[in-house]
Amino acid sequence: MSQDLRGEQTERRSRRVARGLVIVNTGDGKGKTTAALGVIFRAWGRDFDIRVFQFIKNTGARFGEHRAAERLGIPIESLGDGFTWLSKDLDRSAALAQEQWRRSREAILRGEEDIIVLDEFTYAMHYGWVPVQEVVDTLKRRPESLHVIITGRYAPQELIDCADLVTEMRLIKHPYDDKGIKAQRGIEF
């Protein structure tokens, strides 16, 4: 990218974003990714540049959010082998998460987007696949105008302490537990 174009891009961002936030959606309730997708939908309407990195979720996933994001021109990059509790090779799961962190860390430090979402990323820290302190250090070094949204259960305390906004989704009632109703197209995926 040329220096002039980068300068224009930085100026445009600084007019739009006073200070980028680190936002964490965590907890055992449903809605962490959904909340992040709501923010990117709103930001898209304000001409923000957005990029989503999905951890854990299958690399070839074509869920509803992938289809909608594709139509809107929002890149969602999934790199994972699905639900970790079903993985037959946790070393491979860890390697995929580490590679996705490498890619997303580079994007964060480059600062070419206005918002970067790290979906289901807390699991990579919780399982010890990605060092929490490295994540915190990267977030502290990000460009001042960049928003980073991190989702997933088990957010480590160091991440919570670093974040500007933390929301905990608390499970009160779930249709699967109550009535055996499985995940539904358009609601969960």
Side-chain angles (χ1 to χ4, degrees):
M1 181 179 298
S2 76
Q3 195 64 8
D4 289 343
L5 185 56
R6 185 177 290 275
E8 278 179 37
Q9 192 177 38
T10 302
E11 182 181 329
R12 177 178 51 90
R13 275 197 198 111
S14 64
R15 284 194 309 260
R16 195 167 56 209
V17 178
R19 181 179 177 280
L21 302 174
V22 173
I23 300 169
V24 176
N25 298 332
T26 193
D28 64 354
K30 179 184 168 354
K32 297 173 287 292
T33 297
T34 305
L37 294 171
V39 171
I40 67 169
F41 184 67
R42 176 179 284 158
W44 180 86
R46 295 289 188 174
D47 297 322
F48 281 38
D49 294 318
I50 302 157
R51 193 166 175 188
V52 179
F53 293 92
Q54 288 187 320
F55 292 74
I56 310 298
K57 292 179 179 169
N58 193 300
T59 303
R62 292 282 299 152
F63 300 127
E65 66 260 30
H66 296 100
R67 296 161 193 248
E70 188 176 284
R71 290 178 185 165
L72 297 173
I74 298 170
I76 295 184
E77 301 169 35
S78 301
L79 187 61
D81 56 1
F83 300 111
T84 53
W85 57 90
L86 298 177
S87 179
K88 291 176 177 42
D89 185 355
L90 284 176
D91 289 336
R92 181 172 186 276
S93 299
L96 291 170
Q98 291 160 356
E99 174 60 20
Q100 188 71 321
W101 167 239
R102 185 192 64 73
R103 292 176 186 181
S104 56
R105 182 177 183 271
E106 287 175 3
I108 289 168
L109 294 176
R110 264 194 319 271
E112 294 175 357
E113 288 80 23
D114 299 306
I115 296 178
I116 291 179
V117 175
L118 307 178
D119 185 37
E120 309 286 6
F121 182 49
T122 57
Y123 298 104
M125 291 180 276
H126 176 74
Y127 295 136
W129 299 341
V130 173
V132 176
Q133 193 56 52
E134 182 179 312
V135 173
V136 169
D137 291 345
T138 300
L139 293 171
K140 288 179 178 178
R141 291 178 45 219
R142 78 189 191 285
E144 188 175 311
S145 62
L146 176 62
H147 297 292
V148 178
I149 303 172
I150 299 172
T151 72
R153 296 176 186 212
Y154 319 119
Q157 189 60 50
E158 298 93 327
L159 177 64
I160 290 170
D161 293 344
C162 169
D164 299 294
L165 172 63
V166 179
T167 299
E168 181 178 7
M169 310 313 195
R170 186 169 61 95
L171 178 64
I172 295 174
K173 185 177 181 179
H174 195 284
Y176 182 77
D177 297 333
D178 220 32
K179 300 175 184 166
I181 299 172
K182 294 184 179 184
Q184 296 187 50
R185 182 184 314 263
I187 301 296
E188 280 89 9
F189 61 93

